[in-house]
């Protein structure tokens, strides 16, 4: 089964994706993580991606589609995948449909996480990620703090703030989302595979609660 995580930055896509990845035994594929890995390794692709990501702009479609196409050829995706952060444009969604059709697959479910701008900005400001590329655990200094400040509970590595989680970039990421990615909501609604889920700390409904509901109601 192929699941897509939609939703503005810091709505909890990664959290929901990692829980579902374990319970459905299919890999979580995050284009943001793939780009960050390339940046860390200092590759040409990494340098190119960084020039867009650091400003809160989207990496060009050709580049992004190519890395997803290659990733979906790997054997661990034979039973499906959870795409976390892809597609982000109509062009990417159309190309994804073509790639999946050529593998006799299709998008089965699209989870759209919705949250207020106020909560999104707060979550981004408080987000800390594990610096260990093989761990990638995500914490929140207020909502989900690590046991020891600045240290990952899972692997003991240092926690860091993502370079693009700063006030200036956040605003641009939100408007990029509105402009380029939100049209995908209608694209998938028309296909009848969209599931909208609200994420709100005020209402006591976080990514983990959404994931549990989806586990309960989607039996594969
Ligand atoms: P978030 O959802 O919090 O913004 P991501 O890790 O998904 O975090 O994305 C970080 C950045 O990586 C984006 O702002 C964008 O620059 C780039 N990126 C990730 N996925 C894509 C994509 N599908 N198309 C274009 N750019 C992408
Ligand atoms: Zn860790």
């Amino acid at each position: 089964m192929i699941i897509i995580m939609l939703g503005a930055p810091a709505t909890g896509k990664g959290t929901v994706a990692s829980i579902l990845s374990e319970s459905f035994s299919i890999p979580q594929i995050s284009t943001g993580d793939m780009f960050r890995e390339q940046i860390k390794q200092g590759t040409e692709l990494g340098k190119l991606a960084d020039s867009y990501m650091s400003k809160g702009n989207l990496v060009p479609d050709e580049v992004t589609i190519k890395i997803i196409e290659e990733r979906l050829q790997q054997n661990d995706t034979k039973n499906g995948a959870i795409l976390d952060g892809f597609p982000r444009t109509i062009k990417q969604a159309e190309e994804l449909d073509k790639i999946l059709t050529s593998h006799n697959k299709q998008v089965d479910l699209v989870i759209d996480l919705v949250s207020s701008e106020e909560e999104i900005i707060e979550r981004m400001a408080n987000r800390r990620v594990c610096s260990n590329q093989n761990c990638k655990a995500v914490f929140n200094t207020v909502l989900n703090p690590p046991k020891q400040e600045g240290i990952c509970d899972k692997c003991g590595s240092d926690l860091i703030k993502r370079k693009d989680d700063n006030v200036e970039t956040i605003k641009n990421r939100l408007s990029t989302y509105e402009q380029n990615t939100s049209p995908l909501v209608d694209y998938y609604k028309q296909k009848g595979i969209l599931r909208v889920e609200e994420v709100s700390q005020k209402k006591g409904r976080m990514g983990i609660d959404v994931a549990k509901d989806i586990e309960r109601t989607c039996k594969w």
Side-chain angles (χ1 to χ4, degrees):
M1 108 225 40
I2 302 284
I3 301 177
I4 288 174
M5 299 303 312
L6 268 189
T11 44
K13 297 189 295 290
T15 304
V16 175
S18 85
I19 298 171
L20 296 183
S21 159
E22 248 180 64
S23 54
F24 296 147
S25 302
I26 50 175
Q28 170 185 2
I29 299 177
S30 158
T31 37
D33 281 347
M34 289 165 90
F35 288 138
R36 279 184 288 276
E37 224 158 286
Q38 296 288 327
I39 292 173
K40 206 168 180 188
Q41 286 170 17
T43 64
E44 284 306 311
L45 172 60
K47 281 177 202 147
L48 178 88
D50 192 30
S51 68
Y52 293 93
M53 288 168 76
S54 59
K55 299 191 190 85
N57 295 325
L58 293 181
V59 179
D61 282 339
E62 314 83 74
V63 180
T64 311
I65 291 162
K66 189 159 168 266
I67 66 161
I68 276 287
E69 186 164 21
E70 284 170 9
R71 182 67 187 84
L72 288 174
Q73 276 160 9
Q74 288 173 23
N75 200 39
D76 64 337
T77 65
K78 66 179 187 303
N79 294 327
I82 302 185
L83 303 183
D84 164 15
F86 183 94
R88 261 175 150 102
T89 63
I90 293 282
K91 170 84 179 156
Q92 291 180 13
E94 289 170 349
E95 291 300 320
L96 175 65
D97 284 341
K98 286 186 205 158
I99 295 167
L100 292 175
T101 304
S102 75
H103 295 178
N104 288 319
K105 290 190 178 117
Q106 61 185 30
V107 178
D108 298 288
L109 175 66
V110 178
I111 303 165
D112 179 27
L113 299 181
V114 180
S115 205
S116 73
E117 185 166 319
E118 191 193 345
E119 288 198 21
I120 287 175
I121 290 174
E122 199 179 329
R123 271 201 300 275
M124 263 197 239
N126 299 335
R127 172 155 68 183
R128 298 291 182 276
V129 296
C130 180
S131 56
N132 173 358
Q133 288 288 304
N134 297 320
C135 173
K136 297 181 192 140
V138 182
F139 297 85
N140 181 296
T141 53
V142 178
L143 299 172
N144 171 30
K147 291 195 184 74
Q148 194 185 339
E149 200 186 316
I151 304 291
C152 176
D153 288 354
K154 284 194 185 161
C155 76
S157 302
D158 286 341
L159 296 179
I160 52 172
K161 208 170 148 70
R162 255 171 57 179
K163 192 173 144 195
D164 57 350
D165 277 346
N166 64 69
V167 186
E168 304 85 68
T169 315
I170 285 171
K171 289 275 177 198
N172 192 36
R173 282 160 69 199
L174 287 172
S175 62
T176 301
Y177 179 80
E178 271 316 309
Q179 209 179 329
N180 298 289
T181 311
S182 67
L184 291 180
V185 173
D186 267 341
Y187 181 87
Y188 290 117
K189 196 174 178 180
Q190 278 167 18
K191 292 179 187 279
I193 51 175
L194 184 76
R195 176 167 172 158
V196 181
E197 294 282 353
E198 188 179 13
V199 173
S200 164
Q201 71 225 42
K202 279 188 199 142
K203 295 183 183 167
R205 187 166 171 78
M206 300 306 292
I208 186 166
D209 307 297
V210 172
K212 276 186 199 150
D213 277 354
I214 291 169
E215 278 172 355
R216 234 194 343 267
T217 50
C218 295
K219 293 279 172 251
W220 267 291

